[in-house]
């Protein structure tokens, strides 16, 4: 199980009352909410390994150089020599060290890579995994990783933890009319205002899905739009003059957007086993520290719940392995 950690702690921050604070007045709603999410996910889906994937750079400069509008509306401060500073509410920012500490005490490895987003870490770990993978996120960009043959699916949290959706290829086909393997091309064509991706003018979801149904891939449709007679003769469908013009007019965007939209799948990362991601009960000093922090930080029942969930799931995995 790969957690899109920022997606989850933002959801926790906005979904759990900010009135929950520790004694010094620091908010703890994101910490409590995230721990409860992990407790539920582990109990319901029983992963054997769990990794918290982290945005070491939420807006990599190499993506911004290609599309300057990429996530620009979320920038609080541009940092020329390093990661830009994201606009994050102060009460949430103050909780990030607590989140990292609790994850460490739970034995859940936090994995980030310089100049890359959590999506790229997830893409690499999901692609190189030797076991089925559940990606937990509210970010639909990760639908491009769905692969039924390899057992890669997305546990989609956009509708809330009580309405989780299991995104498989069948789900993507039913929702968008495309294969999951076409999702990155689909997103490139459609664009995404939440990420500052303009898309192709005049091409929405239905048109993008229709183009991919007709031509199969962005590369194939661009070859036809360019006037390549061989591509046109080999294409299973014809392209209208107006659509050809739209794609030609978007040439500069389409030349770079796939690099921005496609998640990186070949980072130099250890395997889940090498990362120490196998779930195990939390014992000894780490458990005592967590229980102390539950009191000190006013984490309520979230710590006992996540500890109990890890105890049950790790114990069940051990029993299965023994059998």
């Amino acid at each position: 199980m790969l957690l899109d950690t920022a997606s989850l702690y933002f959801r926790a921050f906005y979904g759990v009352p900010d009135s929950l604070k520790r004694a010094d007045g620091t908010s703890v709603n994101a910490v409590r909410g995230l721990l409860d999410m992990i407790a539920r996910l582990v109990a319901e889906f029983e992963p054997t390994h769990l990794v918290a994937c982290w945005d070491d750079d939420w807006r990599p400069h190499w993506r911004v150089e290609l599309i300057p509008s990429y996530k620009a509306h979320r920038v609080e401060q541009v940092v020329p020599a390093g990661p830009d500073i994201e606009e994050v509410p102060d009460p949430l920012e103050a909780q990030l060290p607590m989140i990292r500490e609790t994850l460490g005490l739970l034995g859940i490895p936090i994995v980030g890579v310089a100049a890359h987003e959590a999506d790229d870490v997830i893409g690499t770990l999901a692609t190189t995994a030797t076991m089925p993978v559940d990606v937990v996120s509210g970010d639909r960009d990760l639908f491009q990783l769905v692969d039924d043959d390899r057992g890669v699916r997305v546990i989609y949290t956009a509708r809330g933890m009580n309405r989780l959706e299991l995104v498989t290829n069948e789900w993507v086909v039913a929702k968008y009319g495309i294969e999951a393997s076409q999702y990155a091309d689909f997103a490139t064509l459609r664009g995404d205002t939440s990420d500052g991706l303009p898309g192709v003018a005049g091409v929405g979801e239905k048109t993008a899905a229709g183009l991919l149904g007709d031509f199969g891939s962005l590369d194939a449709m661009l070859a036809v739009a360019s006037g390549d007679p061989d591509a046109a003769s080999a294409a299973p469908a014809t392209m209208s003059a107006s659509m050809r013009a739209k794609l030609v007019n978007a040439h500069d965007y389409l030349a770079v957007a796939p690099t921005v939209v496609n998640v990186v799948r070949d980072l130099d990362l250890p395997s889940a086993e090498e990362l120490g991601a196998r779930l195990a009960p939390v014992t000894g000093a780490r458990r005592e520290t967590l229980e102390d922090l539950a009191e000190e930080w006013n984490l309520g029942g979230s710590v006992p719940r996540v500890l109990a969930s890890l105890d049950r799931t790790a114990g069940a995995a051990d029993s299965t392995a023994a059998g």
Side-chain angles (χ1 to χ4, degrees):
M1 179 174 281
L2 305 174
L3 304 181
D4 181 2
T5 316
S7 171
L8 299 182
Y9 65 60
F10 267 98
R11 175 166 294 278
F13 176 75
Y14 288 108
V16 178
D18 189 34
S19 57
L20 297 170
K21 302 180 186 296
R22 66 187 194 188
D24 65 0
T26 302
S27 297
V28 294
N29 56 335
V31 185
R32 289 176 65 151
L34 179 62
L35 292 179
D36 276 335
M37 288 178 182
I38 292 172
R40 174 170 178 175
L41 290 163
V42 168
E44 184 169 345
F45 297 100
E46 299 184 341
T48 56
H49 299 72
L50 184 62
V51 179
C53 303
W54 203 266
D55 283 320
D56 274 17
D57 190 340
W58 68 281
R59 188 178 184 249
H61 284 187
W62 58 269
R63 281 191 166 110
V64 176
E65 287 173 358
L66 296 174
I67 299 181
S69 62
Y70 182 64
K71 297 186 178 180
H73 58 294
R74 289 156 51 185
V75 176
E76 181 175 295
Q77 180 182 341
V78 174
V79 181
D84 294 335
I85 298 174
E86 185 178 10
E87 189 174 31
V88 176
D90 290 343
L92 173 55
E93 187 76 37
Q95 296 181 68
L96 299 186
M98 290 189 281
I99 288 172
R100 293 185 69 99
E101 184 169 352
T102 53
L103 290 174
L105 290 167
L106 288 169
I108 299 171
I110 298 171
V111 182
V113 174
H116 288 84
E117 302 174 51
D119 286 9
D120 302 317
V121 175
I122 291 169
T124 296
L125 292 175
T127 300
T128 58
T130 57
M131 64 187 82
V133 176
D134 280 340
V135 174
V136 185
S137 179
D139 183 355
R140 57 185 180 173
D141 289 342
L142 292 169
F143 294 170
Q144 64 187 273
L145 297 174
V146 168
D147 186 337
D148 289 359
D149 291 339
R150 296 188 58 251
V152 179
R153 62 184 182 178
V154 173
I155 300 173
Y156 191 43
T157 63
R159 299 173 68 190
M161 292 299 293
N162 290 324
R163 303 176 69 186
L164 295 174
E165 296 176 90
L166 298 182
V167 179
T168 61
N169 189 68
E170 181 181 4
W171 189 98
V172 175
V173 171
K175 178 73 172 178
Y176 298 110
I178 59 167
E179 302 290 325
S181 60
Q182 297 173 306
Y183 190 85
D185 284 352
F186 174 75
T188 296
L189 289 162
R190 176 201 63 202
D192 191 338
T193 55
S194 67
D195 279 340
L197 297 173
V200 176
V203 175
E205 287 197 350
K206 289 185 178 179
T207 302
L211 286 168
L212 288 167
D214 287 342
F215 299 99
S217 70
L218 179 60
D219 286 343
M221 69 181 74
L222 290 179
V224 173
S226 71
D228 182 339
D230 292 335
S233 63
T238 58
M239 183 179 292
S240 69
S242 63
M243 181 54 64
R244 184 177 292 110
K246 289 176 182 177
L247 294 174
V248 170
N249 289 339
H251 174 271
D252 290 348
Y253 164 75
L254 292 173
V256 297
T259 303
V260 175
V261 173
N262 280 278
V263 301
V264 177
R265 300 178 184 233
D266 59 356
L267 296 174
D268 185 13
L269 287 174
S271 68
E273 203 70 55
E274 292 167 336
L275 287 167
R278 180 174 290 276
L279 289 179
V282 180
T283 59
R286 287 194 292 120
R287 191 177 191 104
E288 291 176 9
T289 300
L290 266 173
E291 290 170 343
D292 289 343
L293 288 180
E295 182 71 23
E296 181 183 342
W297 289 355
N298 188 29
L299 299 181
S302 61
V303 167
R305 282 190 289 272
V306 75
L307 288 173
S309 185
L310 291 174
D311 289 345
R312 287 193 301 271
T313 300
D318 289 343
S319 298
T320 300

